[in-house]
Structures are given as structure tokens and as C-alpha cells.
Amino acid sequence: MSEKRIELTKQDRIQISLRMTMCQAGWNYERMHNLGFSFVLAPVIRKLYPDKDDRSAALKRHLEFFNSHPYVEAPITGVVLALEEERANGADIQDQAIQGVKVGMMGPLAGVGDPVFWGTLRPVLGAFAASLALSGSFFGPIIFF
């Protein structure tokens, strides 16, 4: 008899996406986004690990240092979700492997996120909004802000 496999549903993934908007709400100077990242994963951790000790260990695993650009944390979250799902279903995935993937992805994605959003997107939207404002449209300042 095979074990029942725990799978994440589309509804679980939608819930994670909605919770990601609050990722920076728990920002702190010691471990940056760790509280927000744990908040994002909490409902899935609850589903994947019915045992209280396993659930506690999983949440502690994600309370380690975590910092990336908040707009590009989705790929990191997706990979971590996949690893947690496989681990909950019996795969031999160590804590260090999950943490290693997070650490390995957060630096490069932060390095991409900052220039793309603050160095490219904001000035382009600013120029577009300024041209709208100069033509007399009240949408210019609204778009910029």
C-alpha cells in the first residue's frame, strides 16, 4: 500500500500569491524578509506537515536570513514550495538543501530586481507620466505615484 501523496492545489498557489503582497510587512534589520517569507508559506506548511513537530521545524527552517527584491521573490517561493512538497511526500531533501537553494537564488534575483524596477521601469513610467501631465491629463501624476 502506498502512502497518500499530499499535493498543492491551484487554490494553494493562488493563496500564496495573494499573501506575497504582504511579504515586506514583517521586515526587520536582523533577518530582513524572513518573517514575511514564513508568513507566505505558513498555510502550505500547515497543509504539508500535519504533525506539529514537523510543521514547527519547517517554519523554523524559513525563519533564517532571507533578503531579496520583493518583486522577484515569486521564483524563489515556487522552488521552495516544490522542495517542501517533495520533502513532505517522503523525498530525502535536507534542510541545508532547501536553505541553499533560497540563498543561491536570492542574491542574483535581487541583483536583477533592483536595476530593472528602480533603474528602468520607474524612469520610463516617470517620463510617460510627465508627458501626460504636460499635455494636460490628470492621469500623469496618478500613474507616476
Side-chain angles (χ1 to χ4, degrees):
M1 183 185 276
S2 65
E3 284 186 34
K4 184 179 179 198
R5 208 171 141 76
I6 303 170
E7 292 186 12
L8 298 178
T9 63
K10 184 176 181 178
Q11 184 64 32
D12 294 329
R13 296 175 202 288
I14 290 171
Q15 184 180 18
I16 291 293
S17 296
L18 293 174
R19 289 172 77 96
M20 284 191 72
T21 60
M22 299 299 293
C23 188
Q24 283 191 303
W27 193 91
N28 61 73
Y29 284 105
E30 184 180 356
R31 296 186 182 177
M32 307 294 179
H33 293 150
N34 70 332
L35 289 174
F37 194 76
S38 297
F39 169 77
V40 167
L41 295 179
V44 172
I45 296 290
R46 201 174 306 119
K47 179 179 181 177
L48 292 174
Y49 300 105
D51 181 54
K52 184 179 179 182
D53 293 333
D54 292 340
R55 193 168 46 241
S56 175
L59 285 173
K60 284 181 184 175
R61 181 168 49 247
H62 296 296
L63 285 173
E64 294 297 321
F65 178 83
F66 180 75
N67 186 28
S68 190
H69 194 284
Y71 299 163
V72 293
E73 283 182 9
I76 301 169
T77 305
V79 170
V80 168
L81 281 175
L83 289 171
E84 289 289 354
E85 185 177 11
E86 290 300 315
R87 181 181 172 133
N89 287 310
D92 185 27
I93 299 174
Q94 302 297 322
D95 291 355
Q96 297 84 4
I98 295 172
Q99 189 66 12
V101 167
K102 279 175 38 182
V103 169
M105 290 180 75
M106 71 182 178
L109 286 176
V112 168
D114 284 339
V116 166
F117 288 100
W118 301 124
T120 304
L121 193 60
R122 187 165 188 230
V124 168
L125 283 176
F128 176 67
S131 69
L132 282 177
L134 288 173
S135 66
S137 174
F138 69 92
F139 285 116
I142 292 171
I143 288 175
F144 183 71
F145 291 114

